Structures are given as C-alpha cells and as structure tokens.
Amino acid sequence: APKPKQLTQQLYNSDMSADGAKDETDEHFIAGCHGTIAPQKDEAYYDDRSDASDDMEKGQLKFPKSIYGREKELDQLLRVYSNIIDSKSGPAEDNGYSPPSANSDAQDVAYGGARVIWLGGYSGIGKTALVNEFIRQAQRTCASSNEPASIVHASGKYSQRIESSAPFSAIADMLDTLASHLSKEGEKTSEKEAVWKNIDESDLIGPRKEGNNILRSTFPALSKLLDKDGNDSSSPVNTSLNAIKECTLEFFSCICSAFSRPLIIFIDDLQWGDAASFDMLGFLLSNKGLTNVMFICSFRSNEVDDDHPFTKTMESVQKSREDDVNVKNSIESMDLFSLSPEAVTEFIADSVKKEDSGEVSELAEAIYIKTMGNIFFVMQALEELVRKNILFYDIMCFEWRWVVSKVELANYMSDDVVETIKGKIRELPCAIQHMLVVMAHIPNPVDVALLAQLMNYGGGYTHYDKAEVGGLLKQSSDEGMLLLSGSTNLYVFAHDRIRQALLEFGKERDEDQDRLAQHISQVLLNSAKGPGMDWCLFVAVDFANSLPPEKAMNSVNLSKLNLRVSKIASEMGSMEKANELLRKGLECLNTSKSLWEDYALTLELYNAIIESEFNLGSYGESRSSIDQVLKYAETLDDKILAHVHQLSCREKEISDHAQVAVDGCKILNLYGLGIPDTLTKVYIIKEEAKSKMALKYGSYSKLTKLKMNDDRGIFCIIYQVIRYALFSGNKNLQKVLCWKAIQIAIKHGVDAHFPPTLSAQEVGNVALALRDEIRHDIDNRAMIQFIVSGHVSCLLQPFRSSLGPMLEAHKDFKLVGNTELCFASMMFHFYIYFAAGQELGPLIESRLVLSEGEARRVDRPSFLIQFQIARQFALNLRTRNDSPSELCGPAFCEGEELCAMNDKARKMALRDSSSYRLQLAFIFNNESAMTSLLEILKDYPLYDIVPSRLHNRLCFTGLAAFTLYNEGNESFMKLGLQCLRYFKKLKEQGSVNAKPVYLFMKALKRSNRQAFSSAIDACAEATFIHLEAMAREQFALFLYKENDTKAGNDYLTSAFWLYRDWRADFKALRMSEEYEFLKTSKRKNAKSISASSATGSVSTGKHFAYNSVFKSKRQVRR
C-alpha cells in the first residue's frame, strides 16, 4: 500500500502513464477515473500524526524528541565521561605529589576521575536538551554493556526570580534528586548499600555527628538518606558556610566512592545563581579529594560578563586546577552556537513529517532568518504559524501545508520570542492563564494543594479545588507550557522564556499586582511549616518587601519577618542574603520612625548587622552600626557585642595585637575590671590571690561544676583581649585576665566564652574539661584546643601528644570558616611534628602539599611560604641534592621567594627559612653554613608566640653555636649559652621536650663520654629519633678523636639506622658514602631500605600510626 506522501501524489496526478497509455501494473485501474478502488487500510495507516482518537488533537504540531546538529558536542561529552571511567584505573595510591613524566601527554592527565564542563550558550540554544540526550545515550551504552551498575545523575536549575529564591536553590534541588534516588524503597543495590555504609562510617556526617545535623538543617531533603533509621538528633550546632561546604564535600565523597560509574551532576542557569552557591561550587570543583564525578555547569554566555560572580568562580576553579599538574586539563569549555540552516531544515522537515527536506526549504529559510537557528525560537515560530493558520494540516491530504510565499511567511512571525509566547498565552483559557501567571511568580515548583491556595484569591476568579487544578496542569502540559519533572513529580515551566512572557503578560492584563503579592506572601507564610519549606519564607518576605508602605504589613511585623528569614539565610551560610534582609528590616523601622522605639527589635537588628557586615569584610559598615549601638544602647550588657567587634575592627585597621589588647583593657575597665596601664608585680600577685580566695583556696576543678548560661556576657570581651595578649606575647596580661575571669565566674556564673579564657594558663586542663559543656560551640571548642595544645601543653608535655589535637582544631576551624586559625593550627601541627622528630616521608609531605594548595586557593601567602619551606626541608633530607643546606628545590626556592616579599614579610620568612637551614647545616656538618646562618639568627629575639617553632630555632642555634665553639669559633658562645639557659629553665619546670635538648647542648659544650651517654638516653626516652641520631653521630665523632674507633663505628652505625628510621634517606646515603662500612652494616629486624631510596624517589610503602612506629623502633633498638 502506498505511504501517505505517495498516496497524495496519486490523488492529485493522473493515473495514466507518461504516454497516456493504460497502466498495466495497476490491477485496480479504471480508465477515466482518478484514485483507486482498492481495499483501503485504516485511517491511522495513512495519518501517522498521532494515535489519538480526537481529530483536533491530530492537527497539533508534534516536535521530534531527537536533537539536531549537536553531534560534535555530544561526542565531546561522551568522550569526557568515558575518560573519567578510564582514569579510575590510574595510580593506586597518593604519594602526596605525583607529577607526570616528561614525555606524558598532558591531555591525558586526569584529575582523579573528576571533570568539569562549562557549558555556555544563549537562551533557547539547546543546552539542557544536549545534556539530557548525553545522559540518555550514556545510559543506553551502560545498559548494553550488561553490567549491573547504572548511571546515576542529578540536576538542579536556578530560577529567573533569584531575588525570591532561597540560597543553594539549584544545589538543593540536585541533592533532593540524588537523595530520592538513593533512598527509593524496594530498589536496594550493592552501590546504594555502599553509600549508606560510607555515610555511617563518616567521622563528619555519620549518624549523630555534627555534620549530619548541619546537612539536614541546610538541605532537609537529605534527611531521608542521612537519617534513614529515624535517629533524629536535633542538637543545635553553629553553622557556617565553611561547615556546609565541608559537609557537602564529604557527602559527595561518600556517594562517588561507592559508585562504579561516574556520577553526573548538571547545574543549569548559573547566570542566576546566588553568592553562597558560587562559593560552594568553587569549593567543590577545586577540591582534589572529589573523584568519580562529572560536573556540567550551564549558563547563558551573553548574560555572564567579566564582572559576573560566576565568571570569578570559573576563573578561581581554573587557576586552582592549573596550579597542580594532576588537575590540569580536567576542565573543558563548550559554547553552543546557533544551529546550521541544514540542521534547522532537517528539524522542520521531521516536525511536519516531510521525508524530503527540500520540500520545506522555503519554510525553513524564512524561519531561520527570523530565529537565527535558535532551536527554541524555531519551535515557537512554527507554533505561531500554526496558530495563525499559515501552517496547517490538510486532513484531506494527510500532510502539513502552507500556501504563502517565503516573504509572506516572514511577515507572520514575530521578531521577539517573548511576544510569540505571549500570543500563545492569549489563546489559552482564562483559568490556565490565571494559574500560569501565579506559577510564574513562584521560583520553586509547587504541589497541587499549595497551587490551589495560591490561585484562590478572589478578583473574579473561580474557586479551584485540587482536582480542577490538576486538570489545568495537564492541559498546560499538553500545550507545551509545562513539563512534569520526573524526580519531583511536580510541574515546571518548559522554558524560562515562558516564565518571562507570563510575568509580562500578567502586568499587561492590568491585574492588581500588589494584591497578588499580598496574597502569595500570606499563603506562603502560612505554608512555611515542616522540613523543606523554608523556601516559602524567602518568597514571602520578598513579596512583602516589594509592596508599597500603604499596602505592606505592619512595619514592626515586617522587620521581624526580615530578621527571622535572615537567621535562616545565615544558618545556610548565605551572609550576603542575610545582610540584605537585615538591612530591609532596619529600613522598615526607619521608614516608619520606629527605630529604637521598639528597643529590643532594633538592638537585635543592629547586633545582627554588626556581625553580618564584619563577616562580609565590610568593616566600615560594621563600624557604623557599632557606633549606633554604643550611642543608643541602654546598658553595658547590651553593648557587649558592639565592643567585641569594635576590637575586631580595630585589629583589622592597625594589625597591632599589642595596641588592640591595650584598647581592650580600656573597654573592660568600663565594666569595672580595673586593669591598670602598667601591670606591676604586686598587682599580679594580688590578682592571683583574689582568684584563689574566690575559689576558697580549693582546686581549679571547682570551675567545672559552675552552671553554664546561654547569655553572652563579659567573658566574650575578656576572651577577645586574651587572644590579643597571647598573640602579642603579653603573658602577664593573660594571667591577670584569666584570674579576673575566675573571680567573675564564681560570682555570676559562666557562658560559652568562659572556657577559652582559661586555656592559656595552668588551668588549661579545666578548659579542656569544660569543652563538653560547649561541644556545640565549635569555634570556642577549637580555640580551647588550639591554645592549650599549641601554646601550653607542648611546653611541658611530649610534643606527640599535641599532634592529634592540633589536627582536630584545624578541622573545627575549617568548619566554622575561621581561615586564619585554620591555617595557624595546621602550621603549629607541622612545627610540632618536626620538633618531635616524627617520621619524614610521603605522609607528612602529602599533608604539606594539600595545605599549600588550600593556602594558594584562598590567597594566604604567609602560610603558603611556611608550608613550602617545611616541605623543602623534608625533601632535602630525603632526596639527593647538591647543596642540602640550601632551600632551593621543587617546593621552595629561598632566593626567588624572599626577593618577591616586602620588608616585614621577608624578615619573618628569613627567620624561619634560616632556622630550617641551620638544622640542615648541623645535620650535614656544614660549618660555614652554620656560621652564616647564626649571623642571621643572632639578631632575632629569643622569643616566639609559637613555642614549638621557638623550640626548633633555639635547639639548633645552641647546638650549632657549641659545635662551632669546639672547632675554635667562639663568636656565638654567648648566643649558645642563652639557648642553654632557656632549655634549662624549661627542664626545671618539668618539660620532657627540653631535657634531651639541654643535655645534648651540655654534651657539645663540654664533651665527655658521660655527657653524651646522658644526652643519648634522654633523647631515646623522649623518643626524639632525630636528636638521638644526631647525638649518636656527634658522640661517634668525639670517640674518633679519642682514637676509640670500634666504639665510634658502633655509634655511627646506630646513628645511620636511626637516620634511616627518621627517613632522612639522603643524610644516611651521605654517611654511607663517607664511611664504607655502613653500606654493609645490618640491624636485626630493622626496616630495610636501599641506598637508592635517597636518590630522589618517593617511597610508597605502608605508613603506620605515630605511636606504633616509635614503639616498634624502640623495641628493635633495645
């Protein structure tokens, strides 16, 4: 039987052959008749437009589901996804740094199986359709491979009504989709079980962990995955953007590591993203720990200029990845341009069911000229022609036809796609128009029940029930205005241009927009109940703020609403949004002349603005609000927060901790503390006596039994001033403030800021005990750990005991977003690590590399230099180099780096680099280097606010000074004696870290067998493996001078193996090159490593826990 096109040709042409003769091939031919009398098929055989029974529906234009003209881009996405799968079989373990070989192809370098695609293009160009088709093809490929694993993907889309959207709106939608997939009942797979297991085992987001609460409060949709057993923990935690970012990263890591195939994340319309989202995306996409994932970030390229925040995000991610060879070439940019005329012609031909695209050439050309190949515009143009009956379906011929010329076709199409869509809207039933206009004002998809409430606001409109609204939604979907989301089962707009057209259409319809805004705001306020409904408050407050004063709600109530929503925004880490709402709330009070009339509300708003502006770095704006509070607040207690931030702003202005501490004392004196300008010895003794009297001469442990209050009291200011005293080295002021705090605590009780006031003194253990009382105040908890472990306990207790706590403080500071102390705690960790003589090698080097990357990413050059110097120090000891006493290598080049610094930064960096170099010079017995470095270091004061850093510097300053003295150079004897007295004083106070250093210095100062034996025993007892190795080597050299070669060889051999245990492989190699007998020396059960390991290779052996390593080594030596 003929096909429709063939049949049409038969109906309009003669049934005669070309020469007019009878067509003998047609058995049904009857001369003089047109057509055929052959048995006919069913109508659907010829009319393949639709299988619907309604002829009216058959006349509707049906667009093909395929994409056109995007084969190249589709292949690129599939290739990137395939490369991620291939890269998963890359290096088996992370050695800290793994640069590719010189002859490797840079294009093949994979970022741990993680890739980023920037997908740009104009509105309607087909970005979303391309990604959807890519996912479909990837799924088909996966299904055809007969593997049980499937491809998991999730997407989120930002709304054009960004001013009404909650922070992280698209990210929240994406996580909702992901959680729904993973928690779907009845679909348990090994991968899902692996995800649940990873989450349960996570130290950050596992059950009853702080991160679990943070994620569930920020993204309620994750509760079904994070709290699958119903073990709800409502413990409050202090949330910050950093905490949310870290927890989200951990969540993705738990998911991605469980999947056998890469996760696909699609974030659309990023030109409308919010600041918090950009911060989150920048963090996730720059993180080296996130693998097995493909991020596709889509945006309108014509709406994202050089100053757009998303441009800054892309530049930041690009830079952070380019700085690491393992990350290079893991980003690809794709720009979608208009379809070619051929692709548009093919699309139109398939849309109107023409097998020969030449038949639609005129139509396609006219449409292409109007739309310039924008596929969404093309579809709207075709629909417009159908509405105007220019393009119509001929039910007699079963084909789409048009009867006007190409020039005339152009006249029937609008130049503006929004006008085209509005033309379509005007032809819709009034009920659908009303519903769509209401939906256009809401950035989030809404369910039928809520939509029915939003539609029923009078104004002549019918009252709609849920069934009627459901029917209207279905009709709108049939008209191509809405799409049913498969992940949420809610209707969303088919395109953002439809929302734009509806908003314009609503205004043109002369509808009372203010009345609509009032109604939407009230309905959403009433609906903002339960998890996942906070977005209603953001939309409601936006509409409430948009109303003119005469139609707005009561100014006090509106201010309270802004304050309420700002707290939610702040808890979600969106300080910009919170600040905007707080300013709106203050404006409401100011406009109605209610400022300070409602005293409590005004004070709360100003205090919130002070913190918000300070956290945003707007110190001038914060200062302005501080002045208002200090001027109008009625009591000193009401001024506490303003005074705290007054000091913080002062610190930012002058960067002088000592002066800020003085200013802080003046503020404390306003509260009656009576701190004199000069702290005399008598005054200090009296204050100590007063604190003991307050305790009734009992134990400091009494402080742990005091009741904890929620109010922010004077301890907040005391704690702030103690910090400045600590950083400026004013120990007397620290003591006095600690004793003042104890007196106040006994009399009035304590709050969360009291424990940190104790952490710098001998009552540090009390501060640690009180941490459990403030376990939800992460910032104060971390500060206690940082000060006690980094400044107090490391002076007397073993260095190793502070390593774990410093990492814990680093993690907590990172969670709360305290960048400076986050890096400071990590820097302290490295100082303590090297002071303790912990094992050098890939483990510590990998931590240093990660720290360098973080410091580089957030632009903290002072910390970056510290980490680079430390890593180069370790490399000099481990790998072959010509000048081991010089810091010039892959991690740090002293000459170049110091030349690029200003005077102040150079002075500090020179002190630290010279300290490390002096240690290297002593280890490699380089007397000339020791001399030059002591010349540099002698001018620096014998004090440092970082005890472990001072320990390292004075330790090798003294050792080098006495070594040179033994060689006849007495220039630095005085300096050596000063260092010796420093460690003697600490030893007398009971410091286990100072004793080995003191005895080692004494052995070098006055060398004899007994002195060296005592020093070696002390080093062994303290498990200072590095100092024991050096002491044994120096003793061996002393014995050689005494002509005791056999004993000297024994001590040199033990030193050699201790250096190997310390992983100072190059030092050990140099020793074996100088003393041939060491090459054949053996030690029972010792860790065996060849001399080649000191030639520059990086070990990939197993790493043990700190304590177990030293325990096993001590057992071996005994």
Side-chain angles (χ1 to χ4, degrees):
K3 290 294 182 183
K5 292 182 180 179
Q6 297 169 333
L7 180 59
T8 303
Q9 190 67 24
Q10 291 174 3
L11 290 172
Y12 280 88
N13 295 329
S14 172
D15 293 297
M16 302 298 289
S17 61
D19 57 2
K22 174 184 177 182
D23 189 351
E24 300 293 342
T25 62
D26 188 353
E27 62 177 305
H28 302 291
F29 175 79
I30 301 176
C33 293
H34 294 285
T36 176
I37 58 174
Q40 298 300 296
K41 300 285 187 178
D42 184 81
E43 179 186 357
Y45 178 79
Y46 304 101
D47 185 1
D48 60 354
R49 292 166 298 158
S50 171
D51 59 359
S53 59
D54 186 355
D55 282 341
M56 294 302 295
E57 187 175 339
K58 288 182 180 180
Q60 291 181 354
L61 194 62
K62 303 288 184 181
F63 294 118
K65 300 297 183 183
S66 304
I67 63 171
Y68 294 76
R70 300 299 185 199
E71 293 78 13
K72 179 181 176 182
E73 292 85 355
L74 191 57
D75 289 342
Q76 185 177 355
L77 290 175
L78 291 169
R79 174 182 57 79
V80 170
Y81 190 75
S82 177
N83 287 345
I84 298 176
I85 297 175
D86 295 340
S87 71
K88 289 178 66 178
S89 58
E93 63 179 301
D94 182 7
N95 291 332
Y97 57 99
S98 305
S101 60
N103 59 355
S104 66
D105 184 358
Q107 294 298 327
D108 292 333
V109 177
Y111 178 41
R115 293 294 179 95
V116 177
I117 304 291
W118 308 129
L119 182 59
Y122 281 27
S123 170
I125 210 70
K127 301 182 292 294
T128 304
L130 172 67
V131 174
N132 290 338
E133 181 62 22
F134 152 65
I135 293 172
R136 279 193 292 269
Q137 292 200 20
Q139 287 173 328
R140 284 199 297 267
T141 303
C142 177
S144 63
S145 65
N146 296 322
E147 293 185 10
S150 61
I151 292 177
V152 178
H153 62 93
S155 62
K157 180 182 179 71
Y158 287 99
S159 170
Q160 184 179 5
R161 292 191 57 82
I162 185 62
E163 68 280 356
S164 298
S165 300
F168 305 120
S169 57
I171 294 175
D173 291 343
M174 176 265 295
L175 292 173
D176 189 359
T177 305
L178 202 54
S180 298
H181 171 80
L182 293 171
S183 58
K184 191 177 295 183
E185 295 182 3
E187 292 188 9
K188 284 191 176 182
T189 65
S190 59
E191 288 188 340
K192 289 183 179 180
E193 291 177 353
V195 170
W196 294 334
K197 180 181 178 183
N198 288 346
I199 292 175
D200 288 342
E201 294 178 353
S202 171
D203 291 333
L204 183 57
I205 64 170
R208 291 171 291 280
K209 300 290 185 181
E210 289 166 346
N212 190 291
N213 289 341
I214 290 171
L215 277 183
R216 288 193 287 116
S217 63
T218 308
F219 306 110
L222 294 182
S223 296
K224 48 195 165 191
L225 188 62
L226 297 174
D227 188 34
K228 63 181 188 299
D229 296 327
N231 297 321
D232 183 31
S233 175
S234 56
S235 302
V237 292
N238 291 340
T239 306
S240 69
L241 181 57
N242 267 56
I244 296 170
K245 291 191 298 185
E246 290 290 338
C247 295
T248 305
L249 173 64
E250 178 74 1
F251 177 76
F252 273 116
S253 298
C254 290
I255 291 176
C256 295
S257 61
F259 289 158
S260 59
R261 289 184 176 269
L263 171 68
I264 300 173
I265 298 297
F266 176 40
I267 306 294
D268 199 6
D269 281 329
L270 276 158
Q271 73 277 358
W272 294 322
D274 58 282
S277 293
F278 293 141
D279 202 330
M280 170 77 80
L281 284 174
F283 175 74
L284 293 176
L285 302 185
S286 302
N287 197 281
K288 188 176 180 179
L290 195 56
T291 62
N292 199 34
V293 61
M294 179 177 180
F295 284 97
I296 305 175
C297 302
S298 171
F299 60 98
R300 293 183 184 178
S301 51
N302 58 313
E303 297 183 25
V304 176
D305 57 19
D306 292 342
D307 295 325
H308 195 283
F310 184 57
T311 301
K312 308 297 183 185
T313 300
M314 289 191 288
E315 292 173 350
S316 173
V317 172
Q318 190 81 34
K319 185 178 185 304
S320 67
R321 289 177 170 239
E322 285 180 350
D323 287 339
D324 190 331
V325 292
N326 290 325
V327 184
K328 259 185 175 178
N329 304 299
S330 59
I331 298 179
E332 297 198 28
S333 296
M334 296 174 59
D335 288 309
L336 294 191
F337 299 101
S338 298
L339 294 178
S340 65
E342 294 76 18
V344 171
T345 301
E346 183 182 356
F347 172 78
I348 293 174
D350 289 346
S351 298
V352 298
K353 309 296 183 183
K354 298 290 186 182
E355 293 183 358
D356 182 4
S357 58
E359 296 183 58
V360 299
S361 58
E362 280 196 357
L363 176 64
E365 185 177 351
I367 291 176
Y368 186 83
I369 292 172
K370 279 288 184 180
T371 64
M372 297 305 295
N374 185 298
I375 188 62
F376 178 72
F377 297 0
V378 168
M379 291 189 287
Q380 296 305 312
L382 282 170
E383 288 188 338
E384 184 177 23
L385 291 175
V386 171
R387 288 196 303 274
K388 293 179 179 180
N389 210 32
I390 304 303
L391 178 64
F392 61 94
Y393 191 80
D394 191 330
I395 61 174
M396 297 299 296
C397 303
F398 302 127
E399 71 171 357
W400 287 95
R401 300 184 64 204
W402 60 97
V403 292
V404 296
S405 67
K406 178 173 64 176
V407 175
E408 291 176 307
L409 280 169
N411 295 332
Y412 287 105
M413 290 182 286
S414 173
D415 294 325
D416 184 354
V417 68
V418 174
E419 288 299 324
T420 301
I421 299 171
K422 284 196 285 187
K424 181 176 181 178
I425 295 170
R426 292 186 186 100
E427 296 186 5
L428 295 173
C430 290
I432 293 180
Q433 290 178 0
H434 173 55
M435 179 190 71
L436 292 175
V437 168
V438 171
M439 291 180 67
H441 285 82
I442 311 298
N444 294 59
V446 295
D447 58 31
V448 175
L450 181 54
L451 182 55
Q453 293 182 56
L454 291 167
M455 290 176 65
N456 295 326
Y457 70 97
Y461 293 105
T462 308
H463 181 84
Y464 300 97
D465 59 26
K466 290 196 295 184
E468 290 171 322
V469 173
L472 294 176
L473 288 169
K474 178 65 171 61
Q475 292 179 55
S476 300
S477 177
D478 293 340
E479 291 289 345
M481 305 297 286
L482 301 176
L483 294 175
L484 183 63
S485 172
S487 59
T488 61
N489 204 33
L490 298 174
Y491 283 95
V492 297
F493 285 108
H495 198 274
D496 295 306
R497 291 290 191 179
I498 297 175
R499 183 194 296 274
Q500 180 182 348
L502 283 163
L503 291 172
E504 293 183 12
F505 173 76
K507 293 178 181 178
E508 293 170 1
R509 201 171 52 172
D510 294 328
E511 188 171 325
D512 188 345
Q513 295 294 307
D514 291 339
R515 190 161 177 269
L516 176 60
Q518 285 176 323
H519 175 73
I520 291 176
S521 179
Q522 191 58 53
V523 170
L524 293 180
L525 278 176
N526 296 334
S527 303
K529 299 171 184 176
M533 297 303 288
D534 282 343
W535 67 266
C536 294
L537 290 173
F538 285 92
V539 182
V541 75
D542 179 64
F543 276 110
N545 287 330
S546 69
L547 292 169
E550 64 273 11
K551 294 185 179 181
M553 66 173 69
N554 175 273
S555 61
V556 173
N557 291 336
L558 184 53
S559 292
K560 290 180 178 178
L561 177 59
N562 276 283
L563 180 61
R564 174 187 174 189
V565 182
S566 74
K567 290 178 180 179
I568 298 173
S570 181
E571 289 170 0
M572 297 179 71
S574 181
M575 295 308 302
E576 292 84 356
K577 186 70 175 179
N579 185 259
E580 175 189 336
L581 293 167
L582 290 169
R583 288 291 179 187
K584 283 283 187 182
L586 198 62
E587 181 184 333
C588 290
L589 289 182
N590 199 25
T591 303
S592 63
K593 304 188 184 305
S594 302
L595 203 62
W596 292 110
E597 287 187 8
D598 190 321
Y599 178 80
L601 177 60
T602 305
L603 181 63
E604 188 175 3
L605 277 169
Y606 266 121
N607 279 339
I609 290 173
I610 288 171
E611 289 193 293
S612 174
E613 296 287 5
F614 183 84
N615 291 333
L616 289 172
S618 303
Y619 306 124
E621 295 294 331
S622 184
R623 268 281 196 183
S624 176
S625 297
I626 289 170
D627 292 341
Q628 285 290 311
V629 173
L630 295 180
K631 182 177 180 180
Y632 292 105
E634 297 173 353
T635 67
L636 282 172
D637 285 348
D638 290 343
K639 297 179 182 181
I640 284 178
L641 188 137
H643 278 137
V644 168
H645 284 84
Q646 184 182 28
L647 292 174
S648 298
C649 290
R650 178 74 169 150
E651 178 199 2
K652 298 295 182 181
E653 291 169 359
I654 65 174
S655 300
D656 185 341
H657 290 122
Q659 181 58 50
V660 179
V662 172
D663 296 341
C665 289
K666 293 178 180 178
I667 291 174
L668 288 173
N669 287 342
L670 296 176
Y671 292 82
L673 268 68
I675 304 171
D677 294 339
T678 303
L679 301 178
T680 63
K681 187 174 182 180
V682 173
Y683 177 80
I684 294 172
I685 293 173
K686 285 182 177 179
E687 287 302 321
E688 183 179 13
K690 287 180 182 179
S691 68
K692 291 181 178 179
M693 289 176 62
L695 289 167
K696 297 181 179 179
Y697 296 96
S699 168
Y700 284 117
S701 61
K702 285 185 177 181
L703 298 172
T704 61
K705 298 178 173 60
L706 297 177
K707 184 180 179 181
M708 189 73 65
N709 300 317
D710 294 331
D711 298 334
R712 189 193 297 253
I714 187 64
F715 298 113
C716 188
I717 305 178
I718 296 176
Y719 160 57
Q720 191 86 337
V721 180
I722 283 179
R723 285 181 57 190
Y724 299 131
L726 171 67
F727 295 146
S728 61
N730 192 337
K731 292 184 177 181
N732 286 335
L733 181 56
Q734 288 175 251
K735 292 179 182 179
V736 168
L737 291 175
C738 174
W739 293 326
K740 291 281 189 183
I742 291 173
Q743 296 170 45
I744 296 172
I746 295 297
K747 188 179 295 185
H748 302 291
V750 299
D751 61 26
H753 289 88
F754 171 67
T757 65
L758 308 176
S759 51
Q761 302 300 320
E762 63 271 18
V763 289
N765 288 332
V766 176
L768 291 176
L770 285 170
R771 278 189 313 156
D772 290 339
E773 297 292 329
I774 59 168
R775 59 185 178 276
H776 302 307
D777 191 334
I778 304 176
D779 197 7
N780 280 328
R781 185 185 69 191
M783 195 65 193
I784 293 171
Q785 194 75 274
F786 174 70
I787 296 178
V788 172
S789 299
H791 291 84
V792 180
S793 63
C794 66
L795 286 172
L796 302 178
Q797 299 176 11
F799 281 129
R800 291 194 314 279
S801 64
S802 296
L803 287 171
M806 291 313 300
L807 285 179
E808 185 180 337
H810 166 75
K811 182 192 75 171
D812 286 342
F813 282 133
K814 195 172 185 179
L815 275 180
V816 298
N818 194 328
T819 305
E820 292 297 321
L821 290 178
C822 170
F823 284 116
S825 54
M826 202 63 195
M827 183 180 71
F828 275 44
H829 170 79
F830 292 131
Y831 287 142
I832 295 170
Y833 191 97
F834 289 120
Q838 296 286 72
E839 181 178 326
L840 306 172
L843 179 63
I844 191 63
E845 287 172 23
S846 64
R847 284 183 186 165
L848 283 163
V849 168
L850 290 174
S851 299
E852 289 174 32
E854 282 296 302
R856 192 178 289 111
R857 185 177 66 84
V858 299
D859 193 25
R860 291 296 189 277
S862 59
F863 290 108
L864 175 61
I865 290 294
Q866 295 290 333
F867 301 144
Q868 289 174 324
I869 292 174
R871 184 157 69 93
Q872 190 59 54
F873 166 78
L875 288 173
N876 279 20
L877 287 169
R878 291 206 325 112
T879 61
R880 182 186 292 276
N881 54 88
D882 296 332
S883 302
S885 299
E886 302 289 333
L887 290 178
C888 187
F892 179 78
C893 185
E894 185 180 42
E896 296 177 4
E897 296 290 348
L898 293 182
C899 288
M901 298 178 184
N902 59 44
D903 292 341
K904 183 178 179 181
R906 186 185 303 112
K907 182 179 180 180
M908 295 299 100
L910 180 62
R911 176 199 63 190
D912 296 329
S913 63
S914 298
S915 297
Y916 279 107
R917 286 184 57 201
L918 182 61
Q919 184 172 349
L920 291 168
F922 180 79
I923 292 171
F924 287 99
N925 301 309
N926 188 333
E927 293 180 13
S928 62
M930 282 190 270
T931 301
S932 61
L933 292 167
L934 285 174
E935 282 291 343
I936 295 173
L937 291 173
K938 71 177 183 179
D939 295 327
Y940 287 90
L942 301 184
Y943 171 77
D944 195 326
I945 62 171
V946 186
S948 50
R949 181 169 62 189
L950 182 65
H951 176 98
N952 282 328
R953 175 157 63 95
L954 298 190
C955 170
F956 289 97
T957 296
L959 293 175
F962 292 126
T963 299
L964 294 177
Y965 172 74
N966 291 332
E967 299 300 323
N969 185 347
E970 301 182 10
S971 304
F972 306 103
M973 187 60 176
K974 181 180 178 181
L975 182 61
L977 291 173
Q978 288 177 313
C979 296
L980 184 65
R981 285 194 291 271
Y982 171 83
F983 287 104
K984 180 182 180 181
K985 183 178 179 180
L986 282 178
K987 181 185 78 72
E988 291 171 349
Q989 293 175 356
S991 171
V992 297
N993 301 316
K995 181 181 177 182
V997 179
Y998 171 71
L999 293 177
F1000 192 3
M1001 284 185 184
K1002 281 189 64 178
L1004 289 178
K1005 177 175 176 288
R1006 188 167 298 173
S1007 301
N1008 59 70
R1009 292 175 182 257
Q1010 182 58 45
F1012 272 113
S1013 295
S1014 298
I1016 291 170
D1017 288 343
C1019 291
E1021 182 181 357
T1023 63
F1024 282 180
I1025 188 173
H1026 63 319
L1027 285 182
E1028 185 181 354
M1030 298 173 209
R1032 286 177 178 273
E1033 182 184 10
Q1034 292 297 323
F1035 190 23
L1037 297 178
F1038 169 79
L1039 291 172
Y1040 287 149
K1041 290 180 181 180
E1042 296 285 311
N1043 295 320
D1044 192 345
T1045 304
K1046 183 179 182 305
N1049 288 348
D1050 289 341
Y1051 275 96
L1052 199 65
T1053 300
S1054 61
F1056 170 79
W1057 285 106
L1058 285 169
Y1059 279 125
R1060 300 301 291 268
D1061 289 344
W1062 187 34
R1063 295 303 307 275
D1065 299 338
F1066 182 55
K1067 166 62 180 177
L1069 178 62
R1070 289 279 290 263
M1071 290 177 68
S1072 65
E1073 290 173 347
E1074 185 175 356
Y1075 302 96
E1076 288 290 329
F1077 71 89
L1078 291 176
K1079 293 181 178 179
T1080 58
S1081 66
K1082 294 182 179 180
R1083 186 183 64 184
K1084 186 178 180 182
N1085 296 330
K1087 293 199 295 186
S1088 176
I1089 52 176
S1090 64
S1092 64
S1093 66
T1095 62
S1097 61
V1098 179
S1099 169
T1100 58
K1102 183 177 181 181
H1103 307 299
F1104 300 91
Y1106 301 132
N1107 292 337
S1108 63
V1109 168
F1110 284 98
K1111 183 178 179 182
S1112 62
K1113 290 175 183 175
R1114 179 56 49 210
Q1115 290 172 342
V1116 167
R1117 289 199 288 275
R1118 285 177 179 172

